[in-house]
PDB file of all heavy atoms in Angstrom:
ATOM      1  N   PRO A  90       7.972  16.221 -12.563  1.00 92.00           N
ATOM      2  CA  PRO A  90       8.041  17.670 -12.560  1.00 92.00           C
ATOM      3  C   PRO A  90       9.335  18.158 -13.080  1.00 92.00           C
ATOM      4  O   PRO A  90      10.352  17.540 -12.848  1.00 92.00           O
ATOM      5  CB  PRO A  90       7.832  17.999 -11.067  1.00 92.00           C
ATOM      6  CG  PRO A  90       8.213  16.767 -10.331  1.00 92.00           C
ATOM      7  CD  PRO A  90       7.898  15.667 -11.219  1.00 92.00           C
ATOM      8  N   HIS A  91       9.283  19.303 -13.739  1.00 89.00           N
ATOM      9  CA  HIS A  91      10.553  19.866 -14.319  1.00 89.00           C
ATOM     10  C   HIS A  91      10.268  21.300 -14.693  1.00 89.00           C
ATOM     11  O   HIS A  91       9.174  21.653 -15.187  1.00 89.00           O
ATOM     12  CB  HIS A  91      11.012  19.088 -15.491  1.00 89.00           C
ATOM     13  CG  HIS A  91      12.479  19.279 -15.818  1.00 89.00           C
ATOM     14  ND1 HIS A  91      12.943  20.381 -16.577  1.00 89.00           N
ATOM     15  CD2 HIS A  91      13.556  18.566 -15.566  1.00 89.00           C
ATOM     16  CE1 HIS A  91      14.222  20.298 -16.678  1.00 89.00           C
ATOM     17  NE2 HIS A  91      14.651  19.178 -16.118  1.00 89.00           N
ATOM     18  N   CYS A  92      11.222  22.169 -14.477  1.00 87.00           N
ATOM     19  CA  CYS A  92      11.115  23.617 -14.803  1.00 87.00           C
ATOM     20  C   CYS A  92      11.210  23.861 -16.336  1.00 87.00           C
ATOM     21  O   CYS A  92      10.757  24.865 -16.766  1.00 87.00           O
ATOM     22  CB  CYS A  92      12.182  24.436 -14.117  1.00 87.00           C
ATOM     23  SG  CYS A  92      11.928  24.552 -12.363  1.00 87.00           S
ATOM     24  N   GLY A  93      11.700  22.891 -17.049  1.00 77.00           N
ATOM     25  CA  GLY A  93      11.706  23.045 -18.500  1.00 77.00           C
ATOM     26  C   GLY A  93      13.189  23.295 -19.007  1.00 77.00           C
ATOM     27  O   GLY A  93      14.030  23.863 -18.311  1.00 77.00           O
ATOM     28  N   ALA A  96      17.006  23.377 -17.066  1.00 73.00           N
ATOM     29  CA  ALA A  96      16.912  23.898 -15.684  1.00 73.00           C
ATOM     30  C   ALA A  96      17.802  23.032 -14.792  1.00 73.00           C
ATOM     31  O   ALA A  96      17.774  21.772 -14.828  1.00 73.00           O
ATOM     32  CB  ALA A  96      15.561  23.928 -15.183  1.00 73.00           C
ATOM     33  N   GLY A  97      18.617  23.615 -13.961  1.00 85.00           N
ATOM     34  CA  GLY A  97      19.471  22.870 -12.992  1.00 85.00           C
ATOM     35  C   GLY A  97      18.706  22.331 -11.843  1.00 85.00           C
ATOM     36  O   GLY A  97      17.560  22.570 -11.566  1.00 85.00           O
ATOM     37  N   VAL A  98      19.503  21.581 -10.946  1.00 90.00           N
ATOM     38  CA  VAL A  98      18.833  20.966  -9.796  1.00 90.00           C
ATOM     39  C   VAL A  98      18.281  22.018  -8.845  1.00 90.00           C
ATOM     40  O   VAL A  98      17.234  21.762  -8.227  1.00 90.00           O
ATOM     41  CB  VAL A  98      19.841  20.015  -9.086  1.00 90.00           C
ATOM     42  CG1 VAL A  98      20.223  18.803  -9.920  1.00 90.00           C
ATOM     43  CG2 VAL A  98      21.091  20.718  -8.660  1.00 90.00           C
ATOM     44  N   LYS A  99      18.927  23.127  -8.698  1.00 93.00           N
ATOM     45  CA  LYS A  99      18.439  24.162  -7.729  1.00 93.00           C
ATOM     46  C   LYS A  99      17.077  24.632  -8.131  1.00 93.00           C
ATOM     47  O   LYS A  99      16.145  24.765  -7.282  1.00 93.00           O
ATOM     48  CB  LYS A  99      19.411  25.316  -7.624  1.00 93.00           C
ATOM     49  CG  LYS A  99      19.107  26.302  -6.556  1.00 93.00           C
ATOM     50  CD  LYS A  99      20.090  27.331  -6.391  1.00 93.00           C
ATOM     51  CE  LYS A  99      19.801  28.305  -5.174  1.00 93.00           C
ATOM     52  NZ  LYS A  99      18.406  28.802  -5.265  1.00 93.00           N
ATOM     53  N   LYS A 100      16.865  24.957  -9.418  1.00 93.00           N
ATOM     54  CA  LYS A 100      15.556  25.452  -9.856  1.00 93.00           C
ATOM     55  C   LYS A 100      14.485  24.362  -9.672  1.00 93.00           C
ATOM     56  O   LYS A 100      13.337  24.686  -9.294  1.00 93.00           O
ATOM     57  CB  LYS A 100      15.631  25.842 -11.350  1.00 93.00           C
ATOM     58  CG  LYS A 100      16.365  27.161 -11.581  1.00 93.00           C
ATOM     59  CD  LYS A 100      16.272  27.588 -13.031  1.00 93.00           C
ATOM     60  CE  LYS A 100      16.918  28.931 -13.279  1.00 93.00           C
ATOM     61  NZ  LYS A 100      16.836  29.318 -14.674  1.00 93.00           N
ATOM     62  N   ASN A 101      14.864  23.102  -9.944  1.00 94.00           N
ATOM     63  CA  ASN A 101      13.864  22.067  -9.770  1.00 94.00           C
ATOM     64  C   ASN A 101      13.563  21.786  -8.252  1.00 94.00           C
ATOM     65  O   ASN A 101      12.450  21.368  -7.911  1.00 94.00           O
ATOM     66  CB  ASN A 101      14.309  20.767 -10.453  1.00 94.00           C
ATOM     67  CG  ASN A 101      14.233  20.859 -11.942  1.00 94.00           C
ATOM     68  OD1 ASN A 101      13.103  21.142 -12.492  1.00 94.00           O
ATOM     69  ND2 ASN A 101      15.327  20.709 -12.709  1.00 94.00           N
ATOM     70  N   ARG A 102      14.541  21.953  -7.439  1.00 95.00           N
ATOM     71  CA  ARG A 102      14.276  21.868  -5.996  1.00 95.00           C
ATOM     72  C   ARG A 102      13.316  22.990  -5.571  1.00 95.00           C
ATOM     73  O   ARG A 102      12.382  22.762  -4.763  1.00 95.00           O
ATOM     74  CB  ARG A 102      15.558  22.050  -5.135  1.00 95.00           C
ATOM     75  CG  ARG A 102      16.479  20.834  -5.247  1.00 95.00           C
ATOM     76  CD  ARG A 102      17.711  21.109  -4.394  1.00 95.00           C
ATOM     77  NE  ARG A 102      18.826  20.317  -4.780  1.00 95.00           N
ATOM     78  CZ  ARG A 102      20.117  20.618  -4.644  1.00 95.00           C
ATOM     79  NH1 ARG A 102      20.418  21.856  -4.096  1.00 95.00           N
ATOM     80  NH2 ARG A 102      21.092  19.842  -5.055  1.00 95.00           N
ATOM     81  N   ASP A 103      13.532  24.171  -6.093  1.00 96.00           N
ATOM     82  CA  ASP A 103      12.596  25.293  -5.783  1.00 96.00           C
ATOM     83  C   ASP A 103      11.197  25.012  -6.254  1.00 96.00           C
ATOM     84  O   ASP A 103      10.201  25.323  -5.565  1.00 96.00           O
ATOM     85  CB  ASP A 103      13.139  26.573  -6.390  1.00 96.00           C
ATOM     86  CG  ASP A 103      14.425  27.100  -5.749  1.00 96.00           C
ATOM     87  OD1 ASP A 103      14.651  26.710  -4.660  1.00 96.00           O
ATOM     88  OD2 ASP A 103      15.098  27.940  -6.396  1.00 96.00           O
ATOM     89  N   LEU A 104      11.108  24.373  -7.417  1.00 96.00           N
ATOM     90  CA  LEU A 104       9.811  23.996  -7.986  1.00 96.00           C
ATOM     91  C   LEU A 104       9.104  23.030  -6.973  1.00 96.00           C
ATOM     92  O   LEU A 104       7.934  23.171  -6.687  1.00 96.00           O
ATOM     93  CB  LEU A 104       9.954  23.378  -9.353  1.00 96.00           C
ATOM     94  CG  LEU A 104       8.716  22.659  -9.911  1.00 96.00           C
ATOM     95  CD1 LEU A 104       7.622  23.674 -10.136  1.00 96.00           C
ATOM     96  CD2 LEU A 104       9.097  21.926 -11.273  1.00 96.00           C
ATOM     97  N   LEU A 105       9.840  21.979  -6.568  1.00 97.00           N
ATOM     98  CA  LEU A 105       9.288  21.073  -5.651  1.00 97.00           C
ATOM     99  C   LEU A 105       8.806  21.710  -4.318  1.00 97.00           C
ATOM    100  O   LEU A 105       7.748  21.406  -3.800  1.00 97.00           O
ATOM    101  CB  LEU A 105      10.314  19.901  -5.305  1.00 97.00           C
ATOM    102  CG  LEU A 105      10.602  18.905  -6.419  1.00 97.00           C
ATOM    103  CD1 LEU A 105      11.688  17.931  -6.083  1.00 97.00           C
ATOM    104  CD2 LEU A 105       9.308  18.092  -6.785  1.00 97.00           C
ATOM    105  N   THR A 106       9.675  22.560  -3.739  1.00 97.00           N
ATOM    106  CA  THR A 106       9.364  23.235  -2.486  1.00 97.00           C
ATOM    107  C   THR A 106       8.045  24.011  -2.674  1.00 97.00           C
ATOM    108  O   THR A 106       7.159  23.917  -1.828  1.00 97.00           O
ATOM    109  CB  THR A 106      10.462  24.196  -2.102  1.00 97.00           C
ATOM    110  OG1 THR A 106      11.674  23.430  -1.883  1.00 97.00           O
ATOM    111  CG2 THR A 106      10.111  24.909  -0.754  1.00 97.00           C
ATOM    112  N   TRP A 146      17.668  16.156  -6.434  1.00 95.00           N
ATOM    113  CA  TRP A 146      16.592  17.079  -6.192  1.00 95.00           C
ATOM    114  C   TRP A 146      16.221  17.164  -4.714  1.00 95.00           C
ATOM    115  O   TRP A 146      15.368  18.022  -4.341  1.00 95.00           O
ATOM    116  CB  TRP A 146      15.406  16.778  -7.034  1.00 95.00           C
ATOM    117  CG  TRP A 146      15.609  16.971  -8.523  1.00 95.00           C
ATOM    118  CD1 TRP A 146      16.808  17.098  -9.191  1.00 95.00           C
ATOM    119  CD2 TRP A 146      14.577  17.067  -9.529  1.00 95.00           C
ATOM    120  NE1 TRP A 146      16.633  17.285 -10.480  1.00 95.00           N
ATOM    121  CE2 TRP A 146      15.247  17.240 -10.735  1.00 95.00           C
ATOM    122  CE3 TRP A 146      13.200  16.998  -9.512  1.00 95.00           C
ATOM    123  CZ2 TRP A 146      14.568  17.352 -11.975  1.00 95.00           C
ATOM    124  CZ3 TRP A 146      12.476  17.137 -10.703  1.00 95.00           C
ATOM    125  CH2 TRP A 146      13.211  17.289 -11.953  1.00 95.00           C
ATOM    126  N   MET A 151      12.881  18.875   0.464  1.00 98.00           N
ATOM    127  CA  MET A 151      12.023  19.862  -0.046  1.00 98.00           C
ATOM    128  C   MET A 151      10.610  19.733   0.490  1.00 98.00           C
ATOM    129  O   MET A 151       9.905  20.740   0.880  1.00 98.00           O
ATOM    130  CB  MET A 151      11.991  19.844  -1.603  1.00 98.00           C
ATOM    131  CG  MET A 151      13.351  20.041  -2.250  1.00 98.00           C
ATOM    132  SD  MET A 151      14.195  21.583  -1.759  1.00 98.00           S
ATOM    133  CE  MET A 151      15.491  20.953  -0.765  1.00 98.00           C
TER     134      MET A 151
END
Side-chain angles (χ1 to χ4, degrees):
H91 199 279
C92 287
V98 292
K99 187 177 185 306
K100 286 186 177 180
N101 286 304
R102 286 180 203 153
D103 290 341
L104 169 64
L105 287 175
T106 299
W146 292 16
M151 300 305 107

